[in-house]
Amino acid sequence: MEKRSGASNDRRRQPRTAFSTRLLWQQILVVLSVVLLASGVSGWLSYQRLSAEIGAKALAVAQSISEDSSIRTALSQAKGVIPAQPVLQGGIVQKIAEAARERTGALFVVVADRNGLRWAHPEEAELGKHVTTSPEGPLSGQEIIETENGSLGSSVRAKVPLRGVDGGIVGEVSVGYSTQEVIDEIGESVLPILGVGALSLLLGVLATGASLRNLRRRTRGLELEEISTLAQNQESVLHGVDEGVLGLDADHRITVCNDKARELLSLDDPIGRLLEELTLPEGVTELLEQDSDQSVQVVFNELVLLVNALKVVRGNHDLGWVLMVRDRRSVQALSRQLEAVSTLSSALRAQRHEFANRLHVVTGLVQLNQTDAALDYLRESLATGPLNYPLENSELVTDTYLAAFLGAKSTQAAERGVALRVGSGTLVQYPVRDAQNATAVLGNLVDNAITAAVHGSNSERWVEVELLSDRAALVVTVADSGDGVRQADQAEIFAEGFTTSNRQASSTGRGEGIGLGLARQLARIDGGDLVLLESGTLGGPGAVFMARLKKVLERTEGAEGDD
């Protein structure tokens, strides 16, 4: 099996003949086949025509001989009795026949009686013998033109009846011309045809070569297989990416436009149109006048788009431009998720470092035989939590990811003068399975709450997070001490791209125009949701948000009724 597989791989690795080369040979074979076919048909038609002409000539000679009175009289007087061969050799019939043969250049002139015995023949030894071909046709009064093999070889011959003086048929006259003469004459007529065919073949090869050179120039040297692969890749990649792609030629005419670009730029049948003809922001067209690949941020149809242009050059050919269009919301969504992962990673690294320090202390106490002191230290460490984060009630959070993440957020909150605490009702029974989405939503809500608390009018700045497990779902409740959400903003607070005029007016703090809209999208994965439970009051408790994240917890084996 291995040898067969290796042989198969070797065959696959063998370079295939280029399409242009195969096309050239195909064209040569087609032209050559046409030339040979035309030459063959022309030769066959010439053969038929020449055979007919020579047959007509033989028939005319045979008819003239059959009208000779001397021959007619000689065969009439014989009455079916043929003289001896010496008499035939010097007879009038042989003389007249041979004279006619020499005069007309015929292969033979044969005169035979009704019994098929020869009275005249080019070879005297054949006189008096029976003819080699059937005389039935002429003896029945028919004039025949045919090609047959006789004693002198293949020939085109004409046979006519020989009538006696009384009008009755007394024999036949057969005149033939060698088929070699026909072939020789065909050769003379076919040679010009073959010359024209060879010239046609040469012109076909030259024209095909010129066409292939033009094809290579237009395809930038790419072969058919490469073009097919590029087309397949273009269809799968361009329409599969979540970014808008516009391809422009050197004249700024659109040649490629994927579905995402049509959606973001509201384009309808843009292929073949100039970029300047489209209703696009000025910043997009200005990109083409720059040599760099810098991106610009434009507002179009209430969307904030990031656009950059890339110059495409292959060899010395200017192929145009590629415009990449991205929705800023998707970019910021990725940024938010990466920020959550980065925060979690930093917290876990700090936790690992802290645990290592504590293990060093325990190891030292054990080595000094201070067992009681080591036990006291361990009890104290378990009571204070994994790290000395400024996170109140941190011992209620048993999941490593959530504990590390909230601990890191508590440090950030403390730097801004906000106390982050865990609600007393927190109870998460199962470990987190999807830490990325869980921390992304939780981090978004906590960041917004911290910002709201900082800019709120309440002198006590705090944020409270309560976590509950509901089968495989994680329920997150985040409250803050800010001024709450204004009545005017409550209807639009989860809209994509919504932003408040200032951060004091909302507990969202979404100056970038994302935040809750993005968090709700993440929460609704697998059927969860994010809602505003309480809008809060000015000078009193701030807003309360609740997110239900389905399928982010890893339930123990044997559990039933998972979300």
Side-chain angles (χ1 to χ4, degrees), residues 361-379:
V361 174
V362 173
T363 302
L365 291 175
V366 172
Q367 289 177 345
L368 294 174
N369 294 324
Q370 300 293 327
T371 307
D372 294 337
L375 291 174
D376 293 338
Y377 182 77
L378 288 175
R379 293 190 189 98

Side-chain angles (χ1 to χ4, degrees), residues 285-350:
T285 56
E286 292 176 357
L287 276 177
L288 304 183
E289 301 174 0
Q290 304 175 5
D291 294 332
S292 63
D293 57 352
Q294 295 181 352
S295 61
V296 297
Q297 181 172 287
V298 297
V299 178
F300 186 74
N301 289 345
E302 300 182 356
L303 294 177
V304 180
L305 304 178
L306 299 176
V307 185
N308 71 305
L310 177 65
K311 186 71 174 177
V312 181
V313 178
R314 183 182 178 89
N316 297 326
H317 300 285
D318 181 6
L319 302 183
W321 299 82
V322 174
L323 291 181
M324 304 294 295
V325 184
R326 303 175 182 87
D327 188 347
R328 192 183 67 170
R329 293 171 299 175
S330 62
V331 177
Q332 289 173 331
L334 292 176
S335 177
R336 173 69 73 173
Q337 289 184 333
L338 290 175
E339 181 183 352
V341 173
S342 177
T343 301
L344 179 60
S345 177
S346 299
L348 291 176
R349 283 197 300 269

